[in-house]
Amino acid sequence: MRIAVFPGSFDPLTIGHEEIIRKALPLFDKIYVAIGENANKKYCFPLEKRQQWIRQVFAHEPAVEVAVYKGLTVDFCREVNAHFILRGLRNSMDFQYEKDIAEANRRLAPEVETIFLLSSPELAHVSSSLVRELYHHQGNYSEYVSFEL
Ligand code: PNS
């Protein structure tokens, strides 16, 4: 079984996340969309909502499972026997940031490989923070998420 963990805050899940997960579906037998909970971080949307939206979007994809974890991503990978961490890259800033995290994770868990998929250029400007900003100011966020916030 090729098992991947797609970690994130998903505050909220965007069509950018969705694209990465759909592109990864043919590559893995199972993908855990794993919400990393940090007790010190303030989220915009409650955990239950963030979980529910992801479940709703991937209701017809049996290979996708929503999970919540505390602590290190690599520890969660070991818990579910995943040998891959999946992350999306939109631009070189994402790459600069992600390669250090991937290296730290590799040193913590050499058996877990981080796999990067590129987002399409049309979605390279999409982010959860953009959606949160629009939501706070009653802007139209509907082209960035596939459910009602
Ligand atoms: O894409 P996001 O929302 O910024 O992702 C956040 C998340 C959950 C992936 C990140 O905070 C995380 O990896 N948390 C767990 C702690 C960890 O394993 N850090 C990397 C090694 S130091």
Side-chain angles (χ1 to χ4, degrees):
M1 277 269 276
R2 285 161 309 169
I3 305 172
V5 166
F6 185 52
S9 308
F10 306 109
D11 191 27
L13 181 90
T14 69
I15 55 163
H17 295 125
E18 271 186 60
E19 183 197 37
I20 298 296
I21 296 165
R22 291 195 198 284
K23 281 196 203 185
L25 274 169
L27 305 175
F28 300 105
D29 300 301
K30 183 157 206 88
I31 300 173
Y32 286 94
V33 180
I35 307 177
E37 275 288 283
N38 180 342
N40 299 316
K41 200 169 157 186
K42 280 294 281 172
Y43 298 98
C44 178
F45 300 102
L47 177 63
E48 292 68 31
K49 284 277 179 196
R50 288 181 279 144
Q51 273 180 282
Q52 180 199 317
W53 289 325
I54 305 168
R55 281 207 192 94
Q56 182 183 318
V57 168
F58 294 102
H60 303 294
E61 293 293 352
V64 174
E65 190 163 321
V66 183
V68 178
Y69 70 100
K70 290 192 175 79
L72 295 176
T73 304
V74 289
D75 287 340
F76 178 71
C77 290
R78 285 176 168 158
E79 206 176 293
V80 297
N81 200 29
H83 288 94
F84 303 96
I85 293 173
L86 173 67
R87 291 288 283 177
L89 296 177
R90 292 165 298 189
N91 51 48
S92 57
M93 280 179 306
D94 279 353
F95 173 70
Q96 285 303 327
Y97 176 76
E98 294 290 338
K99 74 177 174 51
D100 290 348
I101 307 247
E103 180 58 16
N105 283 333
R106 194 185 62 77
R107 294 165 86 98
L108 288 166
E111 78 281 13
V112 179
E113 188 68 29
T114 302
I115 305 285
F116 296 108
L117 293 183
L118 291 178
S119 63
S120 61
E122 306 86 72
L123 298 183
H125 67 295
V126 179
S127 65
S128 295
S129 56
L130 169 69
V131 174
R132 293 196 297 271
E133 186 85 356
L134 290 168
Y135 175 79
H136 276 305
H137 299 102
Q138 290 81 43
N140 180 11
Y141 56 78
S142 65
E143 63 176 302
Y144 303 123
V145 291
S146 50
F147 41 83
E148 196 70 45
L149 293 174

